[in-house]
Amino acid sequence: MANKILVTGGAGYIGSHTVLQLLLGGYQVVVVDNLDNSSDVSIKRVQEIAGNNGSNLVFHKMDLRDKPALEKIFDSTKFDAVIHFAGLKAVGESVKKPLLYFNNNLIGTIYLLEVMASHGCKKLVFSSSATVYGWPKEVPCTEEFPLSAANPYGRTKLFLEEICRDLYNSDSGWKIMLLRYFNPVGAHPSGKIGEDPRGIPNNLMPFVQQVAVGRQPALTIYGTDYVTKDGTGVRDYIHVVDLADGHIAALNKLSDPSVGCEVYNLGTGEGTSVLNMVAAFEKASGKKIPLVFAGRRGGDAEIVYASTAKAEKELKWKAKYGIEEMCKDQWNWASKNPYGYESPENGHH
Ligand code: NAD
Ligand code: UDP
C-alpha cells in the first residue's frame, strides 16, 4: 500500500484539505509549494487538526521549476506516489498572461515527471478540470466527451492530460489518475482551513463569501439569459472534503495492477444554478447577498455537471455532501477567518 506521498501545491485550497485526509488516513506526507497563491498558515492548521498524525507532515517552500531542489527531495525520500496540485488557476489572468501559465503549469509538471521517472516513482494523481469539456453539447459530462480549451488555463490542463497519455504510451510502467474536478467549494467543518484566494476572487463562492463578510459590496451575476430554469449558469458544486476523499480513492486505485492512464470525473452529478447557490448560502449564513445582474462572462459555459458513474464504479467513491453542507462549512470558515489566513484574529495584521 502506498504510504509516503509527495503533494505538490499542498498549501493551497484543495491540496490542504487532501493533505489533512491523507494524514488522518495514516499516510506520511511531504508538501512542496512556493506559496505563490497560499499561506503556510494552512500547513500549520492542517497539522493542528490532524492531532498526533500532524507530525507526519513535512513542508518545503519550493518552486517546482527549481529542478535541483526537486531532485534533492526525491534523493532523500522514496515516494510511493505523487499528488500534483501545484499550478496557477485563474482563468482571466491566464488570458492576459498566457506565457506565465504555460511556463508555470507546463514546465513545472514536465520537471516533476522527469524527476519522478529518474527516481523510479511512476504513480501520479493529477488535478485536471471539467474545463476540458469546454461548452458541453449535452449533460451529464462523461469521461468520453470531446475535449477543448476555452482559455490558456484550460489549455494547460488539456496539454498536461495529453502529455500524461503520451508518457504512459511510451512506458506502461506509469500509473496515472487524471481527475477532472467540477466546482470545489466549502471548507473543512472545523472552520480552520478553507479557500483564501489572493486578490479579487474570480470564482463564485469565494466572491459570495467576501460579500458576506463585507469585503465586496455585491455579487455580479454573469448572465441571466442562459437556457436554464432561472436563466443563470448551472454547475456541479462539490464539497472540498468529498473532493479530498476522492484523491484517497484514486491513490488506492493506483495499486490495482490493471490501471494505466485513467481519467475520472469528481463531481456530485447535481446541477445547481447561480441563484440557487446564492439562496443556499444566504440561508446557511443568515446574510443577505446584494446582487447586480450583468451580461454573460466570456468563455463561460451554460450547463456543466458530471456523470459520476465511472468514479462510483471504479474508484468506489461518491460525494456525500450537498449544497447545504457546502454553504454551511463555507460560512463557518469565512466567519471565523474573514480575511482568510491573514485575518487579524490570527495575529497576522
Ligand atoms: P490553489 O491556488 O489554492 O493551490 C495551488 C497551489 O500550488 C498554491 O498553493 C500555489 O502556491 C502552488 N503553486 C503554484 N505554482 C507552483 C509552482 N510552480 N511550484 C510550487 N507550487 C506552486 O488552487 P486549488 O484550487 O487548490 O487548485 C489545485 C489544483 O486543482 C490546481 O492545479 C487547479 O488548477 C486544479 N483545479 C482547481 C479547481 C478549482 O476550482 N479550485 C477546479 C479544477 C481544477
Ligand atoms: N459567476 C457569477 N459571478 C461571479 C463568479 C461566477 O455569476 O462573480 C457564475 C459564473 O458565470 C458561472 C458560475 O457562477 O455560471 C460558476 O463560476 P466559477 O467561476 O466559480 O466556475 P466555472 O465557471 O469555472 O465553472
Side-chain angles (χ1 to χ4, degrees):
M1 188 174 124
N3 57 20
K4 198 163 254 186
I5 311 295
L6 177 71
V7 180
T8 77
Y13 173 46
I14 307 170
S16 57
H17 287 82
T18 304
V19 169
L20 175 60
Q21 297 309 93
L22 287 168
L23 292 173
L24 295 175
Y27 290 87
Q28 305 266 340
V29 183
V30 175
V31 167
V32 300
D33 196 304
N34 62 7
L35 303 180
D36 245 28
N37 195 40
S38 52
S39 155
D40 60 359
V41 178
S42 70
I43 297 285
K44 297 190 184 88
R45 298 272 183 92
V46 163
Q47 284 176 318
E48 263 171 55
I49 310 169
N52 288 340
N53 290 357
S55 56
N56 293 335
L57 170 58
V58 175
F59 172 60
H60 299 279
K61 180 175 185 305
M62 206 197 85
D63 194 295
L64 273 186
R65 292 162 297 176
D66 181 350
K67 203 174 176 191
L70 196 57
E71 298 264 10
K72 238 183 175 165
I73 289 176
F74 276 81
D75 286 344
S76 65
T77 311
K78 193 169 163 31
F79 295 108
D80 295 289
V82 175
I83 306 183
H84 177 36
F85 294 104
L88 298 174
K89 63 160 187 178
V91 169
E93 184 186 47
S94 82
V95 174
K96 293 198 187 89
K97 301 177 184 171
L99 291 176
L100 177 71
Y101 274 65
F102 294 136
N103 187 311
N104 192 80
N105 294 6
L106 301 183
I107 294 177
T109 305
I110 292 168
Y111 283 178
L112 174 67
L113 294 170
E114 285 174 347
V115 176
M116 286 175 71
S118 66
H119 289 77
C121 172
K122 295 184 181 175
K123 287 184 178 165
L124 175 75
V125 177
F126 173 65
S127 305
S128 187
S129 166
T131 189
V132 299
Y133 295 121
W135 181 307
K137 282 205 186 70
E138 51 180 338
V139 278
C141 301
T142 71
E143 285 84 350
E144 290 73 41
F145 272 24
L147 306 180
S148 66
N151 51 65
Y153 164 70
R155 203 160 341 266
T156 67
K157 294 299 179 195
L158 201 52
F159 283 163
L160 288 168
E161 281 203 8
E162 301 290 14
I163 286 171
C164 288
R165 281 186 272 269
D166 285 341
L167 185 60
Y168 172 72
N169 289 337
S170 77
D171 173 0
S172 61
W174 281 91
K175 290 177 178 291
I176 302 177
M177 296 279 156
L178 305 173
L179 302 182
R180 293 181 183 152
Y181 313 153
F182 283 69
N183 292 59
V185 299
H188 189 264
S190 64
K192 284 179 187 285
I193 56 172
E195 186 165 15
D196 180 22
R198 298 265 155 100
I200 298 170
N202 306 287
N203 294 115
L204 177 65
M205 291 313 282
F207 200 97
V208 168
Q209 168 182 325
Q210 292 202 0
V211 176
V213 300
R215 291 171 66 179
Q216 298 289 343
L219 171 72
T220 301
I221 302 228
Y222 297 127
T224 53
D225 61 346
Y226 287 114
V227 186
T228 61
K229 56 192 167 197
D230 60 25
T232 64
V234 166
R235 295 290 183 276
D236 184 337
Y237 298 93
I238 174 168
H239 197 298
V240 66
V241 174
D242 272 332
L243 189 63
D245 285 336
H247 290 75
I248 312 287
L251 269 188
N252 289 336
K253 182 75 179 172
L254 283 174
S255 50
D256 178 337
S258 70
V259 160
C261 181
E262 314 290 336
V263 44
Y264 293 100
N265 287 338
L266 297 184
T268 64
E270 296 285 329
T272 303
S273 74
V274 179
L275 286 175
N276 284 158
M277 204 60 186
V278 171
F281 186 87
E282 286 183 329
K283 191 161 172 230
S285 64
K287 298 274 173 187
K288 187 93 201 122
I289 304 298
L291 302 177
V292 173
F293 293 94
R296 296 180 181 192
R297 187 170 67 174
D300 270 2
E302 185 159 63
I303 306 182
V304 186
Y305 58 87
S307 163
T308 57
K310 191 177 178 200
E312 277 177 38
K313 183 160 175 272
E314 297 181 16
L315 300 181
K316 316 259 183 297
W317 167 90
K318 188 179 184 324
K320 295 195 280 281
Y321 302 113
I323 60 170
E324 289 74 23
E325 284 107 337
M326 297 176 209
C327 291
K328 175 171 156 268
D329 291 334
Q330 180 111 22
W331 174 241
N332 185 39
W333 152 253
S335 55
K336 287 179 175 155
N337 307 270
Y339 284 81
Y341 291 111
E342 304 299 319
S343 293
E345 290 83 343
N346 304 328
H348 281 272
H349 269 292

